[in-house]
Amino acid sequence: MSLWFLLPAAAGFALFLTGVLRRYALARSIIDVPNARSSHTIPTPRGGGVSIVVSFLLALPLAAVFGSAGWPVVLALLGAGAGIALLGFLDDHGHIAARWRLLGHFSGTAWALFWLGGLPSLSVLGVELDLGWAGYLLAALYLVWLLNLYNFMDGIDGIASIEAICVCVGGALLYALSGHVHDAALPLLLAAAVAGFLFWNFPPARIFMGDAGSGFLGIVLGILSLQAAWVESQLFWSWLILLGVFIVDATFTLLRRLLRGDKVYEAHRSHAYQYASRQFGRHLPVTLAVGLINLLWLLPIALWVCSGELDGVLGILLAYTPLLLLAVKFRAGELERA
């Protein structure tokens, strides 16, 4: 009963707080003004993702008190989430050098991994692998990459919100169908908080998420996926499948830019979704397409892996292959032609 109270409360508070933040941003001229590397054309307030942060973090202790979540994962999310969000907020309001951001990212992941216990043993093609301390390093790299790629992928109206909602609802469904209904609470709470923000961020967006929100979503989704790994190995692979749209586009784009010698922390608009939005002339078709890919392609494969009838690594190869082809089709990582 407590969870069903928290879900509408989180959504409603995020909805209300985003409106407040929008008025604040307009009053203080905290505006994202379009430039040559932007995917939008209209000056738009930014920083609305703080509403997701506040709504979710306030709900976390209540979820633990009501027995809907364990304290270790709640403490992992509270510390890492708040730290990453604060770092993003400061970067939104004044540039922070990349090396200091990266230090903050690894500090947040270290906190999260301390409470989670690192990376559990994983089943890979039928072989159980326990990586020990190497697992901590891999998990840290995974979390840092996920929070950064989420920032990279938050470039058109609604896309980061739709992705988070689809992944969280899909993850909750995986828990329910695998007999771990109790663990569905936290993904559903995050989905509710993002849904409240999406009311303002749906194309055409009236406010942008900002680094505070996108980095927060990246680290929180990463922590939730590692929590899933501790529940059952195949659940981790299923979460990676659900995150496939963002992982493939961001990783493929990054690799092409690295190979070309680009400065990867410089702003650009060469992700596949950005090329697609320019090709279609607006953001809405691309954002909706991401939701459909999640629901009609990635979720069924994630459920197949969760059932134990398909190996997790094979499931990822199956799920990611057409996404990679789409990345190539939409020129992910290519230099924009004049």
Side-chain angles (χ1 to χ4, degrees):
M1 191 70 171
S2 58
L3 177 63
W4 301 117
F5 166 76
L6 284 175
L7 292 179
F13 187 66
L15 175 67
F16 166 76
L17 186 55
T18 306
V20 173
L21 289 168
R22 183 175 184 274
R23 288 193 291 273
Y24 172 80
L26 288 171
R28 297 298 182 93
S29 297
I30 305 173
I31 306 294
D32 200 325
V33 179
N35 56 47
R37 292 174 174 173
S38 300
S39 293
H40 63 287
T41 57
I42 300 173
T44 305
R46 67 175 184 269
V50 171
S51 66
I52 300 172
V53 176
V54 174
S55 301
F56 184 67
L57 293 185
L58 285 177
L60 282 178
L62 295 175
V65 169
F66 293 150
S68 298
W71 277 109
V73 68
V74 165
L75 291 171
L77 290 165
L78 280 171
I84 296 302
L86 177 60
L87 187 64
F89 179 83
L90 294 174
D91 197 39
D92 278 336
H93 289 75
H95 178 69
I96 297 176
R99 64 180 180 276
W100 296 117
R101 291 202 307 272
L102 198 59
L103 177 61
H105 295 168
F106 275 104
S107 298
T109 61
W111 169 272
L113 292 173
F114 170 79
W115 289 104
L116 290 175
L119 183 71
S121 60
L122 295 173
S123 177
V124 181
L125 297 173
V127 178
E128 202 72 18
L129 291 182
D130 186 352
L131 299 175
W133 282 103
Y136 276 87
L137 177 59
L138 287 175
L141 293 173
Y142 164 68
L143 289 178
V144 170
W145 173 227
L146 198 59
L147 77 88
N148 277 283
L149 77 81
Y150 222 90
N151 188 5
F152 300 155
M153 293 294 291
D154 178 32
I156 63 172
D157 299 350
I159 190 170
S161 302
I162 289 291
E163 174 76 358
I165 292 171
C166 288
V167 171
C168 287
V169 173
L173 182 60
L174 291 171
Y175 279 133
L177 295 179
S178 61
H180 302 283
V181 179
H182 174 82
D183 294 299
L186 294 181
L188 288 176
L189 273 176
L190 183 60
V194 176
F197 168 77
L198 180 59
F199 173 83
W200 298 93
N201 186 237
F202 194 80
R206 287 169 283 176
I207 189 168
F208 292 157
M209 186 177 291
D211 288 354
S214 59
F216 175 81
L217 284 180
I219 190 70
V220 169
L221 289 171
I223 292 170
L224 292 177
S225 68
L226 289 179
Q227 180 203 15
W230 280 102
V231 177
E232 286 187 21
S233 178
Q234 65 264 31
L235 284 170
F236 177 65
W237 302 118
S238 293
W239 273 76
L240 288 183
I241 290 168
L242 292 175
L243 288 161
V245 172
F246 273 30
I247 289 175
V248 171
D249 191 347
T251 304
F252 186 74
T253 300
L254 176 72
L255 289 175
R256 293 190 79 167
R257 297 186 73 228
L258 278 172
L259 290 172
R260 195 168 55 241
D262 292 356
K263 295 179 180 179
V264 294
Y265 273 97
E266 284 187 350
H268 66 96
R269 55 176 196 168
S270 63
H271 287 282
Y273 76 90
Q274 291 170 318
Y275 276 118
S277 68
R278 292 197 293 279
Q279 179 174 318
F280 289 110
R282 55 199 184 116
H283 296 180
L284 182 60
V286 181
T287 296
L288 293 179
V290 167
L292 289 174
I293 290 170
N294 277 303
L295 295 175
L296 301 180
W297 176 247
L298 297 178
L299 180 57
I301 298 175
L303 291 169
W304 191 7
V305 169
C306 180
S307 71
E309 297 178 3
L310 178 66
D311 180 81
V313 175
L314 295 178
I316 285 178
L317 290 174
L318 174 63
Y320 284 15
T321 297
L323 300 181
L324 185 59
L325 295 175
L326 282 173
V328 173
K329 172 180 170 57
F330 286 103
R331 303 169 48 207
E334 287 188 17
L335 283 172
E336 190 174 2
R337 297 164 190 162

